[in-house]
Amino acid sequence: IIPGDILASLYEEYGSRLMELNVRSFLQQRGKVNRGIRETILNEPDRFLAYNNGISATAEEIQTERTSSGDLVIQSIKGLQIVNGGQTVASINRAKKIDKCNHLEKLAVQSKISVVKASLLDELVPKISRYSNTQNTVNEADFASNDPFHISIEKLANSIWAPGEQTRWFYERARGQYEVARNRVAGTSAAKRRVFDEQTPKNHKITKTDLAKFYNCWEQKPHIVGLGTQKNFVNFMTHIAKEHSDFTPNSDFYKELIAKAIIYKSAEKIARKHKFPN
Protein backbone atom coordinates (compact mmCIF):
# COMPACT_ATOMS: atom_id res chain seq x y z
CA ILE A 1 0.00 0.00 0.00
CA ILE A 2 1.46 3.37 -1.06
CA PRO A 3 0.04 6.68 0.29
CA GLY A 4 -1.24 9.03 -2.40
CA ASP A 5 1.00 11.90 -1.34
CA ILE A 6 4.09 9.70 -1.86
CA LEU A 7 3.00 8.83 -5.41
CA ALA A 8 2.29 12.49 -6.16
CA SER A 9 5.78 13.46 -4.96
CA LEU A 10 7.41 10.72 -7.06
CA TYR A 11 5.57 11.88 -10.18
CA GLU A 12 6.38 15.51 -9.41
CA GLU A 13 10.09 14.72 -9.17
CA TYR A 14 10.51 12.19 -11.98
CA GLY A 15 7.56 12.90 -14.31
CA SER A 16 7.42 10.74 -17.43
CA ARG A 17 10.73 9.05 -16.44
CA LEU A 18 8.70 7.13 -13.86
CA MET A 19 6.61 5.65 -16.67
CA GLU A 20 9.03 5.23 -19.58
CA LEU A 21 7.92 1.60 -19.95
CA ASN A 22 4.21 2.41 -19.74
CA VAL A 23 2.30 1.90 -23.00
CA ARG A 24 0.66 5.34 -22.89
CA SER A 25 0.92 8.69 -21.17
CA PHE A 26 -1.72 10.50 -19.13
CA LEU A 27 -4.98 10.79 -21.08
CA GLN A 28 -6.00 13.93 -19.13
CA GLN A 29 -9.53 14.24 -17.66
CA ARG A 30 -11.48 13.70 -20.89
CA GLY A 31 -12.27 10.00 -20.39
CA LYS A 32 -15.01 8.95 -17.97
CA VAL A 33 -12.59 6.67 -16.09
CA ASN A 34 -10.12 9.47 -15.38
CA ARG A 35 -12.94 11.81 -14.38
CA GLY A 36 -14.14 9.13 -11.99
CA ILE A 37 -10.64 8.78 -10.49
CA ARG A 38 -10.55 12.54 -9.90
CA GLU A 39 -13.96 12.57 -8.23
CA THR A 40 -12.91 9.80 -5.85
CA ILE A 41 -9.66 11.58 -4.97
CA LEU A 42 -11.43 14.84 -4.19
CA ASN A 43 -14.65 13.63 -2.60
CA GLU A 44 -14.14 10.09 -1.27
CA PRO A 45 -10.41 9.64 -0.55
CA ASP A 46 -11.05 7.03 2.14
CA ARG A 47 -12.70 4.79 -0.49
CA PHE A 48 -9.95 5.08 -3.09
CA LEU A 49 -8.43 1.73 -2.15
CA ALA A 50 -11.80 0.02 -2.63
CA TYR A 51 -12.69 1.72 -5.91
CA ASN A 52 -9.35 1.85 -7.74
CA ASN A 53 -7.44 -1.05 -9.29
CA GLY A 54 -4.14 0.39 -8.05
CA ILE A 55 -0.85 0.19 -9.91
CA SER A 56 1.48 -2.45 -11.28
CA ALA A 57 5.16 -1.63 -11.22
CA THR A 58 8.52 -3.22 -11.87
CA ALA A 59 11.83 -2.66 -10.13
CA GLU A 60 15.37 -3.91 -10.54
CA GLU A 61 15.90 -4.22 -6.81
CA ILE A 62 13.96 -3.68 -3.56
CA GLN A 63 15.37 -3.39 -0.06
CA THR A 64 12.95 -4.04 2.83
CA GLU A 65 13.13 -3.94 6.60
CA ARG A 66 10.99 -4.78 9.62
CA THR A 67 9.64 -2.01 11.82
CA SER A 68 9.53 -2.25 15.59
CA SER A 69 5.93 -3.43 15.28
CA GLY A 70 6.94 -6.24 12.94
CA ASP A 71 5.56 -4.73 9.73
CA LEU A 72 7.54 -5.23 6.52
CA VAL A 73 8.23 -1.89 4.80
CA ILE A 74 10.16 -0.79 1.74
CA GLN A 75 13.46 0.89 2.52
CA SER A 76 14.60 1.61 -1.04
CA ILE A 77 13.70 0.81 -4.64
CA LYS A 78 16.04 0.79 -7.64
CA GLY A 79 14.73 1.24 -11.19
CA LEU A 80 11.07 1.75 -10.29
CA GLN A 81 8.77 1.83 -13.34
CA ILE A 82 4.98 2.09 -13.23
CA VAL A 83 3.82 -0.10 -16.13
CA ASN A 84 0.10 -0.08 -15.40
CA GLY A 85 -1.76 2.55 -13.44
CA GLY A 86 -0.17 5.62 -14.97
CA GLN A 87 -3.60 7.25 -15.20
CA THR A 88 -4.04 6.77 -11.45
CA VAL A 89 -0.66 8.30 -10.55
CA ALA A 90 -1.00 11.25 -12.92
CA SER A 91 -4.56 11.90 -11.70
CA ILE A 92 -3.33 12.03 -8.09
CA ASN A 93 -0.55 14.45 -9.08
CA ARG A 94 -3.02 16.58 -11.04
CA ALA A 95 -5.33 16.74 -8.01
CA LYS A 96 -2.42 18.09 -5.98
CA LYS A 97 -1.24 20.66 -8.54
CA ILE A 98 -4.43 21.79 -10.27
CA ASP A 99 -7.17 21.06 -7.75
CA LYS A 100 -4.95 21.99 -4.75
CA CYS A 101 -6.03 18.82 -2.97
CA ASN A 102 -4.44 18.70 0.51
CA HIS A 103 -5.64 15.33 1.79
CA LEU A 104 -3.66 12.95 -0.43
CA GLU A 105 -2.20 11.20 2.61
CA LYS A 106 -5.69 9.74 3.10
CA LEU A 107 -5.44 7.92 -0.23
CA ALA A 108 -4.26 4.32 -0.03
CA VAL A 109 -3.15 2.94 -3.39
CA GLN A 110 -2.71 -0.81 -3.69
CA SER A 111 0.48 -1.63 -5.54
CA LYS A 112 1.93 -4.77 -7.08
CA ILE A 113 5.69 -4.41 -7.53
CA SER A 114 7.51 -7.15 -9.42
CA VAL A 115 11.29 -7.41 -9.22
CA VAL A 116 12.39 -8.04 -12.81
CA LYS A 117 15.85 -8.48 -14.29
CA ALA A 118 16.72 -5.69 -16.71
CA SER A 119 17.22 -8.26 -19.48
CA LEU A 120 13.59 -9.37 -19.18
CA LEU A 121 11.91 -5.96 -19.07
CA ASP A 122 11.17 -5.74 -22.81
CA GLU A 123 9.52 -9.16 -22.72
CA LEU A 124 7.53 -8.85 -19.49
CA VAL A 125 6.36 -5.22 -19.42
CA PRO A 126 4.02 -5.40 -22.48
CA LYS A 127 2.49 -8.59 -21.06
CA ILE A 128 1.97 -7.04 -17.63
CA SER A 129 0.26 -4.07 -19.30
CA ARG A 130 -1.87 -6.29 -21.54
CA TYR A 131 -3.01 -8.72 -18.86
CA SER A 132 -3.54 -6.34 -15.95
CA ASN A 133 -5.17 -3.40 -17.76
CA THR A 134 -8.93 -3.34 -17.36
CA GLN A 135 -9.60 0.40 -17.26
CA ASN A 136 -8.95 2.73 -20.24
CA THR A 137 -8.89 0.79 -23.50
CA VAL A 138 -5.44 -0.19 -24.71
CA ASN A 139 -5.09 -0.39 -28.49
CA GLU A 140 -2.76 -2.73 -30.36
CA ALA A 141 -0.63 0.27 -31.33
CA ASP A 142 -0.12 1.11 -27.64
CA PHE A 143 1.85 -2.10 -27.11
CA ALA A 144 4.47 -0.98 -29.65
CA SER A 145 5.29 2.18 -27.68
CA ASN A 146 8.60 0.78 -26.45
CA ASP A 147 9.70 -0.75 -29.74
CA PRO A 148 13.25 0.46 -30.56
CA PHE A 149 12.00 1.82 -33.92
CA HIS A 150 9.57 4.23 -32.25
CA ILE A 151 12.04 5.19 -29.53
CA SER A 152 14.50 6.18 -32.28
CA ILE A 153 11.86 8.27 -34.07
CA GLU A 154 11.05 10.06 -30.82
CA LYS A 155 14.72 10.89 -30.21
CA LEU A 156 15.02 12.28 -33.74
CA ALA A 157 11.88 14.39 -33.29
CA ASN A 158 13.30 15.86 -30.09
CA SER A 159 16.60 16.82 -31.72
CA ILE A 160 15.69 17.91 -35.26
CA TRP A 161 14.08 21.29 -35.87
CA ALA A 162 12.40 22.56 -39.01
CA PRO A 163 14.45 24.87 -41.29
CA GLY A 164 14.83 28.20 -39.52
CA GLU A 165 15.05 26.52 -36.08
CA GLN A 166 11.73 28.06 -34.97
CA THR A 167 9.45 25.02 -34.85
CA ARG A 168 9.69 21.25 -34.58
CA TRP A 169 7.44 18.25 -34.97
CA PHE A 170 6.32 16.18 -31.99
CA TYR A 171 6.32 12.38 -32.21
CA GLU A 172 3.79 10.92 -29.80
CA ARG A 173 5.34 7.54 -29.06
CA ALA A 174 2.94 6.89 -26.17
CA ARG A 175 -0.71 7.89 -26.46
CA GLY A 176 -1.40 11.17 -24.64
CA GLN A 177 2.29 12.14 -24.53
CA TYR A 178 1.80 15.49 -26.28
CA GLU A 179 -0.57 16.85 -23.63
CA VAL A 180 1.67 15.56 -20.84
CA ALA A 181 4.69 17.35 -22.36
CA ARG A 182 2.68 20.52 -22.95
CA ASN A 183 1.36 20.65 -19.40
CA ARG A 184 4.67 19.71 -17.82
CA VAL A 185 6.79 22.20 -19.79
CA ALA A 186 4.20 24.95 -19.57
CA GLY A 187 3.49 24.44 -15.88
CA THR A 188 1.29 27.22 -14.58
CA SER A 189 2.91 29.92 -16.73
CA ALA A 190 0.88 31.20 -19.64
CA ALA A 191 4.07 32.53 -21.24
CA LYS A 192 5.76 29.11 -21.19
CA ARG A 193 2.64 27.50 -22.61
CA ARG A 194 2.60 30.06 -25.41
CA VAL A 195 6.25 29.34 -26.26
CA PHE A 196 5.58 25.58 -26.33
CA ASP A 197 2.54 26.06 -28.58
CA GLU A 198 4.54 28.27 -30.95
CA GLN A 199 7.50 25.90 -31.15
CA THR A 200 5.48 22.67 -31.15
CA PRO A 201 1.99 23.43 -32.51
CA LYS A 202 -0.64 20.72 -32.23
CA ASN A 203 -0.85 20.34 -36.02
CA HIS A 204 2.82 19.27 -35.87
CA LYS A 205 2.01 16.24 -33.73
CA ILE A 206 2.45 12.80 -35.31
CA THR A 207 1.30 9.60 -33.61
CA LYS A 208 2.53 6.06 -34.27
CA THR A 209 -0.63 5.31 -36.27
CA ASP A 210 -0.18 8.53 -38.26
CA LEU A 211 3.33 7.43 -39.17
CA ALA A 212 2.02 4.06 -40.38
CA LYS A 213 -0.66 5.79 -42.46
CA PHE A 214 1.75 8.25 -44.09
CA TYR A 215 4.29 5.50 -44.79
CA ASN A 216 1.85 2.98 -46.27
CA CYS A 217 0.14 5.62 -48.41
CA TRP A 218 3.53 6.59 -49.85
CA GLU A 219 4.24 2.88 -50.43
CA GLN A 220 1.05 2.78 -52.55
CA LYS A 221 -0.95 0.61 -50.16
CA PRO A 222 -4.33 2.38 -49.97
CA HIS A 223 -6.04 -1.00 -49.64
CA ILE A 224 -4.09 -1.58 -46.40
CA VAL A 225 -4.61 1.94 -45.04
CA GLY A 226 -8.33 1.57 -45.78
CA LEU A 227 -8.57 -1.38 -43.37
CA GLY A 228 -8.48 1.05 -40.45
CA THR A 229 -6.01 2.56 -38.02
CA GLN A 230 -5.10 -0.51 -35.96
CA LYS A 231 -4.93 -3.05 -38.83
CA ASN A 232 -2.84 -0.67 -40.91
CA PHE A 233 -0.48 -0.16 -37.98
CA VAL A 234 -0.07 -3.91 -37.46
CA ASN A 235 0.73 -4.28 -41.17
CA PHE A 236 3.29 -1.47 -40.93
CA MET A 237 5.03 -3.01 -37.90
CA THR A 238 5.08 -6.44 -39.58
CA HIS A 239 6.70 -4.86 -42.65
CA ILE A 240 9.31 -3.10 -40.50
CA ALA A 241 10.07 -6.32 -38.61
CA LYS A 242 10.44 -8.41 -41.78
CA GLU A 243 12.02 -6.03 -44.26
CA HIS A 244 13.99 -3.71 -41.98
CA SER A 245 14.79 -5.79 -38.90
CA ASP A 246 18.27 -4.26 -38.56
CA PHE A 247 17.26 -0.75 -39.60
CA THR A 248 17.63 2.17 -37.19
CA PRO A 249 15.89 5.38 -38.34
CA ASN A 250 18.32 8.20 -39.09
CA SER A 251 17.88 11.92 -39.72
CA ASP A 252 17.29 11.41 -43.47
CA PHE A 253 14.53 8.88 -42.79
CA TYR A 254 12.96 11.24 -40.26
CA LYS A 255 13.06 14.25 -42.60
CA GLU A 256 11.50 12.17 -45.39
CA LEU A 257 8.81 11.09 -42.94
CA ILE A 258 7.97 14.71 -42.11
CA ALA A 259 7.87 15.53 -45.85
CA LYS A 260 5.37 12.67 -46.35
CA ALA A 261 3.34 13.99 -43.44
CA ILE A 262 3.18 17.47 -44.96
CA ILE A 263 2.15 16.08 -48.37
CA TYR A 264 -0.49 13.81 -46.81
CA LYS A 265 -1.97 16.58 -44.65
CA SER A 266 -2.06 18.97 -47.64
CA ALA A 267 -3.81 16.38 -49.82
CA GLU A 268 -6.26 15.65 -47.00
CA LYS A 269 -7.07 19.35 -46.68
CA ILE A 270 -7.80 19.58 -50.41
CA ALA A 271 -10.02 16.49 -50.25
CA ARG A 272 -12.01 17.96 -47.38
CA LYS A 273 -12.36 21.28 -49.20
CA HIS A 274 -13.96 19.45 -52.12
CA LYS A 275 -16.03 17.32 -49.71
CA PHE A 276 -14.74 14.00 -51.00
CA PRO A 277 -16.22 11.05 -49.12
CA ASN A 278 -13.97 9.22 -46.63
Side-chain angles (χ1 to χ4, degrees):
I1 303 296
I2 301 179
D5 55 341
I6 297 296
L7 284 177
S9 297
L10 283 172
Y11 188 80
E12 183 68 25
E13 182 172 354
Y14 297 105
S16 59
R17 289 173 57 200
L18 190 63
M19 292 180 276
E20 287 179 336
L21 299 181
N22 203 303
V23 298
R24 62 184 170 211
S25 293
F26 184 41
L27 302 180
Q28 309 304 314
Q29 298 298 324
R30 291 188 289 270
K32 63 180 181 180
V33 171
N34 286 355
R35 287 197 298 269
I37 293 174
R38 176 176 178 270
E39 289 298 315
T40 303
I41 293 171
L42 297 180
N43 303 320
E44 299 179 286
D46 55 325
R47 297 188 177 183
F48 194 83
L49 181 66
Y51 291 169
N52 189 267
N53 287 344
I55 66 173
S56 294
T58 61
E60 294 178 34
E61 183 182 314
I62 295 181
Q63 298 291 334
T64 60
E65 64 179 1
R66 292 283 178 184
T67 65
S68 57
S69 60
D71 294 327
L72 185 68
V73 298
I74 294 174
Q75 186 181 34
S76 65
I77 301 179
K78 178 182 178 182
L80 179 67
Q81 282 286 298
I82 295 172
V83 298
N84 189 57
Q87 310 305 309
T88 294
V89 178
S91 292
I92 292 173
N93 179 258
R94 186 185 190 280
K96 177 182 179 180
K97 290 185 65 176
I98 306 300
D99 298 311
K100 307 302 179 184
C101 180
N102 58 6
H103 58 237
L104 292 180
E105 74 282 353
K106 295 181 180 179
L107 265 69
V109 184
Q110 59 180 327
S111 311
K112 180 182 71 176
I113 306 176
S114 303
V115 178
V116 179
K117 292 181 180 179
S119 60
L120 295 177
L121 283 175
D122 289 342
E123 175 190 350
L124 289 181
V125 168
K127 291 182 179 179
I128 293 173
S129 297
R130 184 187 297 273
Y131 298 149
S132 64
N133 198 297
T134 57
Q135 295 184 359
N136 288 293
T137 301
V138 178
N139 297 320
E140 282 300 316
D142 289 331
F143 293 110
S145 297
N146 297 309
D147 187 276
F149 176 86
H150 296 290
I151 292 175
S152 296
I153 294 292
E154 180 185 34
K155 290 179 179 177
L156 290 166
N158 290 336
S159 62
I160 297 177
W161 289 69
E165 303 290 319
Q166 299 298 309
T167 62
R168 67 185 179 95
W169 289 70
F170 189 97
Y171 187 64
E172 193 172 76
R173 179 174 61 83
R175 186 154 52 106
Q177 203 172 20
Y178 178 86
E179 288 298 332
V180 169
R182 184 173 183 265
N183 291 334
R184 187 167 179 79
V185 171
T188 56
S189 167
K192 290 182 179 179
R193 185 182 295 271
R194 196 159 48 246
V195 170
F196 182 89
D197 289 344
E198 289 173 356
Q199 293 180 341
T200 319
K202 197 165 187 177
N203 62 354
H204 279 196
K205 179 188 79 173
I206 296 178
T207 66
K208 296 189 301 297
T209 53
D210 288 336
L211 184 152
K213 182 168 58 176
F214 303 152
Y215 187 93
N216 277 349
C217 277
W218 193 261
E219 293 294 304
Q220 301 180 39
K221 297 179 179 178
H223 56 296
I224 300 297
V225 178
L227 293 175
T229 300
Q230 297 303 316
K231 290 183 179 179
N232 178 63
F233 182 81
V234 171
N235 176 276
F236 168 74
M237 289 304 296
T238 301
H239 169 75
I240 292 294
K242 286 183 178 180
E243 304 297 328
H244 303 286
S245 57
D246 298 326
F247 172 68
T248 299
N250 54 28
S251 59
D252 288 338
F253 179 89
Y254 176 75
K255 290 175 182 178
E256 287 182 6
L257 169 65
I258 298 303
K260 292 170 185 175
I262 293 171
I263 293 171
Y264 183 97
K265 287 174 174 285
S266 298
E268 189 176 47
K269 187 180 294 185
I270 293 171
R272 285 177 178 169
K273 180 179 179 181
H274 291 281
K275 298 181 179 179
F276 290 161
N278 291 331

